[in-house]
Amino acid sequence: MLGHWTHGEAGTGCTVVIAPAGTRGAVDVRGGGTGTRELEALSPLANAEGPSAVLLTGGSAFGLAAADGVVRWLEERGLGRPTPVGVIPLVPAAVVFDLAEGEADRRPGPEQGYAACQAAGGGVPGRGRIGAGTGAAVGKVLGRERATRGGVGYAALRVAGGDTLAALAVANASGDVIADDGEVLGGPRGDRGELLRSAELIRDMPELPAWAPRSGQSTTLVCVCTDARLDKRGCGIVARIASAGIARAVDPAFTPLDGDVVFCLASGPWPPAAPGPAASWSLTVLGTVAAALTAAAIRDAVHQARLSGGRD
């Protein structure tokens, strides 16, 4: 299930992905300016196989407090890692910097994380200027005033073997969002309102301009979900391959200015397929599709933001 909490006036929000019981999960971190919580629970060396939920939130580091509300909502329903004293929900979280969009002193907290859980449901999620994408923008090299608005995007596909994959993306990159054919979908605006290419502008900037984004103020967040039979290692491989989708749809990507993070959650039957050529091929297929869906979801975020009232 997936739910949003949105505050349009403050330009912020949060988005929660509630995982089915028994879900396995992993994460791939590429950006140099991440803001996160409990990612270590998704490490291959950690005892827990997967999270109870994943939170994507605005509010920069302040927004991580929204995970407390998600934890409370899950505990009330007995969802989490079993222990002798009760369940303990595991909620990895990652943030986007949206404090410059609306009201910097209003950001998601525990009540807002709880509200996002209350709003969670199945089906195609809300997209555009909603949840964690409410205050998002892309192409910030000439300053946020000349950037294109980002948001939440989504893409899904059933592969030939019957497994389903879906990618949810929050597009708040410092770089541009690029179409399949190389066209700039979202980037900085020139004096006449035309879309420019950040990579070309950066090439001609010998020094950091005063208006350019700083480290930790931009990011692309992605959560890939599948019903495939993957363990934590398999989720990590799929998340790593899926990160290629960010590089296809965002230019430049994985910079010191960005906090790019890709989660992968798998809720398929247990145990996973035994290691071998067939399992390796399955991971290759799933990762390849996940990368394509990641790119599609990032592009969808900019498209949906435009439909919901963002700057063209």
Side-chain angles (χ1 to χ4, degrees), residues 235-255:
C235 289
I237 291 171
V238 171
R240 182 175 63 188
I241 301 173
S243 291
I246 297 180
R248 294 176 197 171
V250 178
D251 184 31
F254 310 144
T255 76

mmCIF file of all heavy atoms in Angstrom, residues 235-255:
data_model
loop_
_atom_site.group_PDB
_atom_site.id
_atom_site.type_symbol
_atom_site.label_atom_id
_atom_site.label_comp_id
_atom_site.label_asym_id
_atom_site.label_seq_id
_atom_site.Cartn_x
_atom_site.Cartn_y
_atom_site.Cartn_z
ATOM 1 N N CYS A 235 17.480 -8.296 -3.725
ATOM 2 C CA CYS A 235 16.940 -6.929 -3.713
ATOM 3 C C CYS A 235 18.061 -5.914 -3.899
ATOM 4 O O CYS A 235 17.895 -4.903 -4.594
ATOM 5 C CB CYS A 235 16.220 -6.668 -2.395
ATOM 6 S SG CYS A 235 14.652 -7.541 -2.204
ATOM 7 N N GLY A 236 19.217 -6.177 -3.268
ATOM 8 C CA GLY A 236 20.344 -5.263 -3.410
ATOM 9 C C GLY A 236 20.851 -5.198 -4.833
ATOM 10 O O GLY A 236 21.200 -4.118 -5.335
ATOM 11 N N ILE A 237 20.878 -6.340 -5.511
ATOM 12 C CA ILE A 237 21.329 -6.365 -6.904
ATOM 13 C C ILE A 237 20.353 -5.599 -7.795
ATOM 14 O O ILE A 237 20.755 -4.800 -8.647
ATOM 15 C CB ILE A 237 21.493 -7.822 -7.382
ATOM 16 C CG1 ILE A 237 22.673 -8.477 -6.654
ATOM 17 C CG2 ILE A 237 21.683 -7.879 -8.894
ATOM 18 C CD1 ILE A 237 22.794 -9.960 -6.895
ATOM 19 N N VAL A 238 19.060 -5.822 -7.586
ATOM 20 C CA VAL A 238 18.061 -5.117 -8.382
ATOM 21 C C VAL A 238 18.120 -3.616 -8.115
ATOM 22 O O VAL A 238 18.037 -2.798 -9.047
ATOM 23 C CB VAL A 238 16.647 -5.671 -8.106
ATOM 24 C CG1 VAL A 238 15.578 -4.810 -8.769
ATOM 25 C CG2 VAL A 238 16.546 -7.110 -8.610
ATOM 26 N N ALA A 239 18.287 -3.217 -6.852
ATOM 27 C CA ALA A 239 18.386 -1.796 -6.532
ATOM 28 C C ALA A 239 19.597 -1.167 -7.208
ATOM 29 O O ALA A 239 19.524 -0.048 -7.734
ATOM 30 C CB ALA A 239 18.477 -1.602 -5.017
ATOM 31 N N ARG A 240 20.711 -1.885 -7.219
ATOM 32 C CA ARG A 240 21.923 -1.349 -7.846
ATOM 33 C C ARG A 240 21.726 -1.166 -9.353
ATOM 34 O O ARG A 240 22.096 -0.137 -9.916
ATOM 35 C CB ARG A 240 23.107 -2.283 -7.583
ATOM 36 C CG ARG A 240 24.426 -1.764 -8.159
ATOM 37 C CD ARG A 240 25.569 -2.671 -7.760
ATOM 38 N NE ARG A 240 25.403 -4.012 -8.303
ATOM 39 C CZ ARG A 240 26.185 -5.047 -7.978
ATOM 40 N NH1 ARG A 240 27.155 -4.875 -7.104
ATOM 41 N NH2 ARG A 240 25.983 -6.234 -8.518
ATOM 42 N N ILE A 241 21.131 -2.167 -10.000
ATOM 43 C CA ILE A 241 20.893 -2.042 -11.447
ATOM 44 C C ILE A 241 19.873 -0.947 -11.715
ATOM 45 O O ILE A 241 20.000 -0.179 -12.679
ATOM 46 C CB ILE A 241 20.430 -3.388 -12.035
ATOM 47 C CG1 ILE A 241 21.473 -4.476 -11.795
ATOM 48 C CG2 ILE A 241 20.176 -3.252 -13.537
ATOM 49 C CD1 ILE A 241 21.012 -5.872 -12.205
ATOM 50 N N ALA A 242 18.853 -0.844 -10.860
ATOM 51 C CA ALA A 242 17.811 0.170 -11.050
ATOM 52 C C ALA A 242 18.379 1.579 -10.990
ATOM 53 O O ALA A 242 17.837 2.502 -11.610
ATOM 54 C CB ALA A 242 16.714 -0.002 -10.006
ATOM 55 N N SER A 243 19.483 1.756 -10.249
ATOM 56 C CA SER A 243 20.100 3.083 -10.179
ATOM 57 C C SER A 243 20.520 3.584 -11.550
ATOM 58 O O SER A 243 20.627 4.800 -11.768
ATOM 59 C CB SER A 243 21.312 3.050 -9.239
ATOM 60 O OG SER A 243 20.912 2.869 -7.898
ATOM 61 N N ALA A 244 20.764 2.667 -12.485
ATOM 62 C CA ALA A 244 21.090 3.084 -13.845
ATOM 63 C C ALA A 244 19.954 3.889 -14.459
ATOM 64 O O ALA A 244 20.184 4.734 -15.329
ATOM 65 C CB ALA A 244 21.408 1.870 -14.708
ATOM 66 N N GLY A 245 18.744 3.644 -14.002
ATOM 67 C CA GLY A 245 17.602 4.401 -14.510
ATOM 68 C C GLY A 245 17.678 5.868 -14.140
ATOM 69 O O GLY A 245 17.212 6.736 -14.899
ATOM 70 N N ILE A 246 18.247 6.172 -12.972
ATOM 71 C CA ILE A 246 18.447 7.581 -12.613
ATOM 72 C C ILE A 246 19.420 8.222 -13.589
ATOM 73 O O ILE A 246 19.195 9.334 -14.090
ATOM 74 C CB ILE A 246 18.968 7.707 -11.167
ATOM 75 C CG1 ILE A 246 17.935 7.174 -10.170
ATOM 76 C CG2 ILE A 246 19.314 9.163 -10.855
ATOM 77 C CD1 ILE A 246 18.376 7.254 -8.712
ATOM 78 N N ALA A 247 20.518 7.513 -13.895
ATOM 79 C CA ALA A 247 21.518 8.063 -14.804
ATOM 80 C C ALA A 247 20.956 8.270 -16.210
ATOM 81 O O ALA A 247 21.411 9.163 -16.932
ATOM 82 C CB ALA A 247 22.736 7.152 -14.848
ATOM 83 N N ARG A 248 19.982 7.466 -16.611
ATOM 84 C CA ARG A 248 19.379 7.644 -17.936
ATOM 85 C C ARG A 248 18.458 8.860 -17.985
ATOM 86 O O ARG A 248 18.366 9.530 -19.011
ATOM 87 C CB ARG A 248 18.566 6.405 -18.309
ATOM 88 C CG ARG A 248 19.366 5.157 -18.518
ATOM 89 C CD ARG A 248 18.450 3.981 -18.778
ATOM 90 N NE ARG A 248 19.152 2.717 -18.585
ATOM 91 C CZ ARG A 248 18.559 1.542 -18.579
ATOM 92 N NH1 ARG A 248 17.243 1.466 -18.748
ATOM 93 N NH2 ARG A 248 19.267 0.435 -18.394
ATOM 94 N N ALA A 249 17.756 9.102 -16.889
ATOM 95 C CA ALA A 249 16.718 10.134 -16.891
ATOM 96 C C ALA A 249 17.165 11.447 -16.278
ATOM 97 O O ALA A 249 16.450 12.446 -16.397
ATOM 98 C CB ALA A 249 15.475 9.621 -16.160
ATOM 99 N N VAL A 250 18.316 11.484 -15.592
ATOM 100 C CA VAL A 250 18.789 12.694 -14.927
ATOM 101 C C VAL A 250 20.215 12.990 -15.387
ATOM 102 O O VAL A 250 21.072 12.098 -15.376
ATOM 103 C CB VAL A 250 18.761 12.547 -13.391
ATOM 104 C CG1 VAL A 250 19.300 13.804 -12.722
ATOM 105 C CG2 VAL A 250 17.350 12.253 -12.901
ATOM 106 N N ASP A 251 20.470 14.226 -15.779
ATOM 107 C CA ASP A 251 21.800 14.628 -16.226
ATOM 108 C C ASP A 251 22.122 16.028 -15.697
ATOM 109 O O ASP A 251 21.410 16.979 -16.019
ATOM 110 C CB ASP A 251 21.862 14.634 -17.761
ATOM 111 C CG ASP A 251 23.256 14.962 -18.284
ATOM 112 O OD1 ASP A 251 24.239 14.612 -17.604
ATOM 113 O OD2 ASP A 251 23.353 15.550 -19.374
ATOM 114 N N PRO A 252 23.204 16.140 -14.882
ATOM 115 C CA PRO A 252 24.055 15.068 -14.347
ATOM 116 C C PRO A 252 23.383 14.365 -13.169
ATOM 117 O O PRO A 252 22.505 14.933 -12.527
ATOM 118 C CB PRO A 252 25.307 15.816 -13.905
ATOM 119 C CG PRO A 252 24.817 17.189 -13.561
ATOM 120 C CD PRO A 252 23.709 17.480 -14.514
ATOM 121 N N ALA A 253 23.819 13.141 -12.906
ATOM 122 C CA ALA A 253 23.272 12.351 -11.795
ATOM 123 C C ALA A 253 24.389 11.960 -10.831
ATOM 124 O O ALA A 253 25.571 12.004 -11.174
ATOM 125 C CB ALA A 253 22.593 11.094 -12.336
ATOM 126 N N PHE A 254 24.000 11.577 -9.614
ATOM 127 C CA PHE A 254 24.918 11.059 -8.593
ATOM 128 C C PHE A 254 26.009 12.077 -8.230
ATOM 129 O O PHE A 254 27.134 11.713 -7.928
ATOM 130 C CB PHE A 254 25.580 9.754 -9.053
ATOM 131 C CG PHE A 254 24.633 8.722 -9.577
ATOM 132 C CD1 PHE A 254 24.993 7.906 -10.633
ATOM 133 C CD2 PHE A 254 23.372 8.557 -9.030
ATOM 134 C CE1 PHE A 254 24.131 6.941 -11.121
ATOM 135 C CE2 PHE A 254 22.498 7.586 -9.511
ATOM 136 C CZ PHE A 254 22.878 6.779 -10.566
ATOM 137 N N THR A 255 25.673 13.352 -8.254
ATOM 138 C CA THR A 255 26.666 14.380 -7.954
ATOM 139 C C THR A 255 26.809 14.566 -6.441
ATOM 140 O O THR A 255 25.969 14.092 -5.662
ATOM 141 C CB THR A 255 26.266 15.729 -8.578
ATOM 142 O OG1 THR A 255 25.211 16.310 -7.799
ATOM 143 C CG2 THR A 255 25.811 15.567 -10.023
#
